[in-house]
Amino acid sequence: QVQLVESGGGVIQPGGSLRLSCAASGFTFSSCGMHWVRQPPGKGLEWVAFIQYDGNDKYYAGSVKGRFTISRDNSKNTLYLQMNSLRAEDTAVYYCAGIAVSVDFDYWGQGMLVTVSS
Amino acid sequence: DVVMTQSPLSLPVTLGQPASISCRSSQSLVHSDGNTYLNWFQQRPGQSPRRLISKVSNRDSGVPDRFSGSGSGTDFTLKISRVEAEDVGVYYCMQGKQWPWTFGQGTKVEIK
């Protein structure tokens, strides 16, 4: 079965950096575009970033552009989110997700809490 | 960015009764390929989101047929024909027509 398992979250001071990982299994990871979506505590969903199956195209939300970098290692079936210059408003549960707009493919990880606080 | 606006934000419903959620986009979601990339997601308490419907009205596998989506252009609706206890949660519309993808604020469905 499809599994997406995030890791790397925790508490970080404002201005710091953190890298999230998402280990994928149960599907052909190298053929799928992947996303990061976040959810601040008690609030709604915010789409963060997308990377094409081969890593060639990447898109970001305006709120993270220039600070966050999405990447992938298809040889390791792993998705990454490098987060720099972190702010209090980046505090959220971060989900990795495989969502295809044109086919029946929608899988989400369990989420990983990132807390930015001094 | 495309702004997605949902209403209502809170929806108390009686078990067995229908429910309807509206979603409006700030611009047309019709892509140049002819598809309309409007999705609906459900997030049950304490769980990760899951998609219910893609391209306005296509139910994902395993989604009960009491869920249906409709609409066109900039106005869309998610309907639950008969609400069950397991339908409690927050529902989000999301556009996938252009980057960045954007979600609505969410509609909280609860049982009266």
Side-chain angles (χ1 to χ4, degrees):
Chain A
Q1 74 281 20
V2 172
Q3 276 199 309
L4 296 169
V5 180
E6 300 98 338
S7 60
V11 181
I12 186 76
Q13 290 190 338
S17 297
L18 206 59
R19 188 178 82 158
L20 301 183
S21 300
C22 172
S25 60
F27 66 104
T28 307
F29 178 75
S30 58
S31 298
C32 298
M34 297 294 295
H35 303 257
W36 287 99
V37 176
R38 69 183 181 183
Q39 185 170 36
K43 296 189 177 181
L45 300 172
E46 180 188 14
W47 177 86
V48 173
F50 168 81
I51 185 168
Q52 197 174 357
Y53 69 97
D54 57 3
N56 282 344
D57 276 339
K58 303 174 185 180
Y59 299 94
Y60 297 92
S63 57
V64 306
K65 200 168 187 178
R67 300 187 300 122
F68 289 13
T69 302
I70 189 171
S71 62
R72 64 192 297 158
D73 186 336
N74 286 344
S75 69
K76 296 181 179 179
N77 284 353
T78 303
L79 176 72
Y80 302 101
L81 185 67
Q82 177 67 43
M83 304 183 292
N84 299 330
S85 303
L86 282 161
R87 306 166 180 166
E89 54 265 36
D90 295 319
T91 294
V93 172
Y94 285 74
Y95 296 99
C96 72
I99 311 168
V101 291
S102 293
V103 296
D104 186 354
F105 185 84
D106 171 68
Y107 294 97
W108 295 65
Q110 83 285 358
M112 176 61 58
L113 179 62
V114 172
T115 303
V116 184
S117 173
S118 54
Chain B
D1 296 1
V2 179
V3 177
M4 306 297 289
T5 304
Q6 291 181 227
S7 63
L9 299 185
S10 178
L11 184 57
V13 295
T14 301
L15 286 173
Q17 293 301 302
S20 180
I21 300 170
S22 174
C23 176
R24 182 165 293 178
S25 58
S26 61
Q27 55 185 269
S28 173
L29 299 185
V30 180
H31 194 273
S32 57
D33 65 8
N35 291 304
T36 301
Y37 293 108
L38 185 283
N39 305 271
W40 288 98
F41 290 84
Q42 175 195 61
Q43 188 175 30
R44 291 171 171 153
Q47 294 188 12
S48 301
R50 72 154 175 164
R51 189 172 62 190
L52 299 175
I53 287 172
S54 66
K55 289 191 286 186
V56 181
S57 59
N58 294 285
R59 271 191 307 275
D60 277 43
S61 58
V63 175
D65 60 8
R66 64 179 180 276
F67 290 95
S68 64
S70 63
S72 63
T74 60
D75 287 286
F76 306 94
T77 302
L78 175 69
K79 291 183 178 176
I80 310 174
S81 59
R82 294 173 304 279
V83 172
E84 298 188 5
E86 66 178 18
D87 300 335
V88 165
V90 183
Y91 292 78
Y92 298 89
C93 61
M94 188 209 74
Q95 68 83 19
K97 177 206 172 188
Q98 66 182 59
W99 306 105
W101 285 9
T102 44
F103 286 93
Q105 318 98 299
T107 296
K108 186 173 185 178
V109 172
E110 57 184 10
I111 305 300
K112 280 183 185 175

